Amino acid sequence: VSLIGGAATANNDAGGAVAITGGAPHGTGARGVITLTGRVAGSATGHVIPDPGNAGAISVTTSGVCNLTSAGAETRTLAIPTFVGQTLTLCCDVDGGDNVVTVASAFNQAANTTITLNDAGDSIHLIGTHIAGVRRWRLIANDGCTLG
């Protein structure tokens, strides 16, 4: 099944996979709405963002969960969100030392820009917003992380 430009309706009565590609990246330009009915499934790894390792940049191309592993005191960086509504959860999976994530802009009202995951299980949940014309992360939930 292919959907190309304009308004379209497609049925996949025979079952099987349907791939929809193309269009503008999230947050750019006006595009149509895709409505899905019936069962919608994701892959088992569809929302896992790989840990970039020490001194690496956490990918912000999609929403998801990034489980961080440290072998000692380590750092990561986090750019601004790619689109409004994007969600990101950072979780300390294996604790070999503190993991300090430096965010490109303040992510809460206290103007914090660092997140330290100290212990296994520490996690933080962020959402992409639009404030004063700029995309920014905002803090939704924090479980055990130190903010600075």
Side-chain angles (χ1 to χ4, degrees):
V1 175
S2 296
L3 304 176
I4 302 172
T9 301
N11 293 315
N12 186 16
D13 296 329
V18 175
I20 300 173
T21 59
H26 294 290
T28 63
R31 296 288 182 205
V33 175
I34 297 173
T35 303
L36 304 173
T37 58
R39 294 183 297 158
V40 178
S43 69
T45 60
H47 298 290
V48 175
I49 297 171
D51 179 357
N54 187 32
I58 297 167
S59 175
V60 294
T61 58
T62 186
S63 292
V65 176
C66 184
N67 293 307
L68 303 174
T69 297
S70 63
E74 295 186 359
T75 63
R76 309 286 191 278
T77 58
L78 180 63
I80 64 170
T82 302
F83 55 94
V84 173
Q86 181 177 5
T87 60
L88 177 66
T89 300
L90 303 176
C91 182
C92 181
D93 185 24
V94 177
D95 177 26
D98 289 357
N99 231 326
V100 179
V101 178
T102 301
V103 183
S105 63
F107 56 85
N108 61 8
Q109 291 290 53
N112 293 127
T113 57
T114 61
I115 302 163
T116 303
L117 295 95
N118 304 301
D119 299 306
D122 285 358
S123 61
I124 194 161
H125 186 64
L126 305 168
I127 189 165
T129 61
H130 201 257
I131 301 170
V134 178
R135 288 186 313 272
R136 297 179 186 271
W137 291 112
R138 297 313 273 179
L139 176 65
I140 297 297
N142 176 15
D143 186 11
C145 299
T146 303
L147 308 181

